Structure formats: C-alpha cells, structure tokens
Amino acid sequence: VRGPVKKDPLRPIDLGHVPPAPRSRAAMAMAVRAGQGRFMLQACVRCEAVTYPPRDCCPACWGALAWRDQPQGGRVVAQTDVRVSADIYFRGQMPWRIGTVVLDAGPVAVAHLAEGVVVGDPVRVVQRLDRAGQAAMIALPAEGTYDMSEDRQLRQFTAEPLHRRVLVTDGPDDALHWSGD
Amino acid sequence: MAARAISDPVHLYDCVMPCAGAEAFIVTTPERAEALGLKAAQMRGAIERHNAPSDMHMLQAYDDYPVIVAMQIEDLGFCEKGAVSRFIGKNEFGMQGSLPLNTNGGQLSAGQAGAAGGFQNVTEALRQILRMPLGAQVPGATRALVSGFGMVNYDRGVCSGAAVLEAL
C-alpha cells in the first residue's frame, strides 16, 4: 500500500484546524446534497439557467431556483499552486493546487485539483465535504476511478484510517447497532 | 518580479497590502451643492459591457491584484476579450498618457483599507475631475470611469459595477 509517509515524531502534531466554515444558507443546502454523494447545482425553474455558487434567485432572470442533479464533466481552463495562505488550516497544507473548471452543466467553478490534472484536461467533478463540513468541488481525471485517499491533497476529503490516529471506544453494544431515531 | 510566489503567477508585490483608512464624499443635489459653494460632479450612469468607452479621460479600476485591473480593462470594453496584453503595450497609463489609470497609485500603492477600499476609486475620480488632487492632476479631465470588482471567498462569487462620473 502506497499511503503517505509516516509522521516524523519530532514534528509538532497537527492541531486539527479546519478550513473556513461560514457559509450562506444557500451554500449549506449544497453541503447537504454533497454529503449525500450527489452532484447537484441550482437551476432556474423559469429560464433553466444553471447557477453556481449557490444563490437565492436566478442571476439571469431573478426566477426561483431548484436543486437538480447535473452532468459532472468539465474542462480545466486555469490552475495555480497556492503557496502562501493567511488561513490557519491551509497554511499547514501548502502548496495547494486549485483550478478553474468550466462545467458541462454551464457554470464556471474553482475546484481542488487531483494530482496530475492540468490546464486543458477534461475532468470529472465531484462534490465532497471538506473538514469543516462544507461542500467542495474536486476535479478528478475524466477517465477511470481515482483513489482520493492516495492523493496528498485530496486525502483531506476522505476518512481513510491508514496512518491516521483513530479513537477506539468501548461504547455499549446497542450503540454499535444504532439505526437512527 | 523576483519576490516570492504567493499563488503562481501572482507574487508578493502583486498583492494589495492591508491598511487602515477612511474617505468620504457628500451625496446631494446640484442645487444644494451650488448654494453651499461646493464643486460637484454627476453620475452619468453605469455603462453597458463592451461599449468602447473611448471618451473617458481616466480609468479608476479596483486593483487588489494587477490581473484584476487587466480583466476590468477588457470587460469595460477598452479592448477585445483576450487582447489586453496588446492594449497595455500600445497605451500609456500615466497622468499625460492615453488612458490615465489609478491616478493616485491605487490600492496596490496605498493599501486596501477594508471596506473603504471600495470607494477609493470614486474618491480619486472626484478629486481629479473637481480639480482638487492630492498629487498630480490629469490635464483637462472632466470625465472618469470608475470600476469596482469584488468577491467573497467560498460563497457568493464575483460582483462588479461601473459608473461614469462627470464634473458639473
């Protein structure tokens, strides 16, 4: 198993910072859908224009918006390596690759880039929850399956336990069989 | 150009520096301004995208990064989309130039005073067309194009606006 290199025991431990969390009500609605593993964007019920980032009404005609499943294809038109960040979470993750993706669904989105994805590449865009529980756009190679747990950057969006500390509890037996209220 | 990279190709001195600051101007009627003996200007309305504004005496464009100024030059219609590098090569942007640009040095020189940064360009445009500059004067200027550009990270995307100010 490739996995990340084991932590240098002399290095200070990760303090568990999370990315910036405050969002609008509309963006929280996207996080709910991203958490369900879906790729949904708002579309206007009147003019059908698809919009991103999440808004309260259609920027083309002011019509009402509804969440719709969308095609996940796209193409990277710009990329950058963020090398310095004022944010305490990203400061510990530099450099961080992001890019601008023209979505087949219509809008243009800033997305986290998978290793090796560069300008001009066709991509498959997924929405995942970041460590703050907010929806994030991630551009993966268009073809094949991509293991985000083996990507230095995108591993942050997974719960892969390899090389991570886990908390083992001796919770009551019924907690293990909890099936929801 | 040799400064450390912040987010390629943007380097340290391409980034606006935070500062403290404030500014103000009075919004009133031309009649009241005249009664008070104040110089006045009028907003000639927002311009439509891609209407070549060839009769502007200056451009005051929001400048948090140089690339943002370049984007505004294109989208305000000074040149075709994608042709801004040629436009920059062909024009002079100083006080005597073909398009005086951010005549007080803009935020990239003065700093970004939080929300006050949004009116920095309006204030400088007023100072120029009302002949009360803090520094050099654009000769004969009576009309200014002011442009704003902003973005809220992680959420609301880009907002922009532009207005033409003309001395009364």
Side-chain angles (χ1 to χ4, degrees):
Chain A
V1 178
R2 185 157 72 97
V5 179
K6 276 198 160 186
K7 189 178 87 61
D8 173 359
L10 296 178
R11 191 171 63 82
I13 60 163
D14 178 358
L15 290 174
H17 295 301
V18 296
R23 294 289 194 283
S24 65
R25 185 186 176 92
M28 293 295 284
M30 188 170 82
V32 170
R33 286 148 180 95
Q36 294 167 344
R38 301 176 75 168
F39 187 82
M40 300 182 85
L41 298 173
Q42 292 165 305
C44 179
V45 298
R46 193 158 64 192
C47 76
E48 297 185 355
V50 178
T51 187
Y52 175 84
R55 293 183 168 90
D56 297 320
C57 64
C58 174
C61 77
W62 305 114
L65 296 170
W67 290 93
R68 302 265 187 261
D69 288 302
Q70 300 291 344
Q72 290 177 251
R75 184 171 295 273
V76 179
V77 294
Q79 71 181 78
T80 184
D81 289 353
V82 181
R83 296 171 186 277
V84 181
S85 174
D87 178 75
I88 200 164
Y89 166 80
F90 283 106
R91 211 184 272 177
Q93 309 287 338
M94 299 285 100
W96 190 272
R97 297 182 66 243
I98 58 171
T100 304
V101 179
V102 177
L103 299 170
D104 291 351
V108 175
V110 176
H112 305 286
L113 298 185
E115 258 176 52
V117 167
V118 294
V119 167
D121 283 0
V123 289
R124 179 171 61 92
V125 181
V126 297
Q127 290 179 9
R128 292 286 183 272
L129 296 182
D130 68 13
R131 294 204 155 189
Q134 296 297 348
M137 294 271 199
I138 303 173
L140 306 175
E143 298 297 327
T145 56
Y146 190 84
D147 186 355
M148 299 208 316
S149 71
E150 296 218 340
D151 181 308
R152 179 191 72 83
Q153 187 170 312
L154 301 187
R155 185 176 155 79
Q156 297 290 324
F157 296 93
T158 72
E160 169 59 52
L162 183 68
H163 296 313
R164 282 203 176 117
R165 280 165 299 159
V166 295
L167 176 66
V168 179
T169 73
D170 58 351
D173 185 61
D174 58 353
L176 299 175
H177 301 288
W178 181 78
S179 59
D181 295 318
Chain B
M1 298 297 279
R4 68 192 164 111
I6 300 297
S7 182
D8 310 66
V10 174
H11 287 237
L12 182 64
Y13 301 125
D14 297 323
C15 302
V16 75
M17 59 205 153
C19 70
E23 63 227 305
F25 49 84
I26 298 168
V27 180
T28 186
T29 60
E31 295 76 25
R32 176 166 287 189
E34 194 178 352
L36 292 170
L38 298 172
K39 294 181 186 174
Q42 198 168 20
M43 196 166 112
R44 289 297 185 194
I47 65 159
E48 291 290 319
R49 193 178 164 193
H50 295 313
N51 283 358
S54 57
D55 52 352
M56 291 300 141
H57 298 152
M58 73 192 76
L59 170 62
Q60 309 288 351
Y62 191 82
D63 63 332
D64 43 357
Y65 305 92
V67 63
I68 303 299
V69 178
M71 288 166 69
Q72 288 167 96
I73 288 173
E74 282 190 351
D75 286 336
L76 288 166
F78 286 98
C79 65
E80 292 294 311
K81 286 287 270 182
V84 73
S85 58
R86 211 161 56 240
F87 180 84
I88 291 170
K90 280 199 319 206
N91 282 274
E92 291 287 336
F93 299 98
M95 305 306 274
Q96 318 277 342
S98 49
L99 181 65
L101 172 68
N102 292 2
T103 48
N104 62 349
Q107 296 187 114
L108 284 167
S109 302
Q112 183 182 41
F119 270 136
Q120 194 269 135
N121 296 321
V122 176
T123 312
E124 172 61 11
L126 287 170
R127 286 188 175 282
Q128 288 292 337
I129 61 178
L130 299 181
R131 302 293 146 77
M132 44 206 303
L134 291 179
Q137 170 72 52
V138 176
T142 56
R143 203 179 300 117
L145 177 53
V146 182
S147 170
F149 192 103
M151 180 170 182
V152 177
N153 289 350
Y154 300 109
D155 210 330
R156 290 303 193 192
V158 171
C159 296
S160 60
V164 176
L165 299 180
E166 191 166 37
L168 284 174

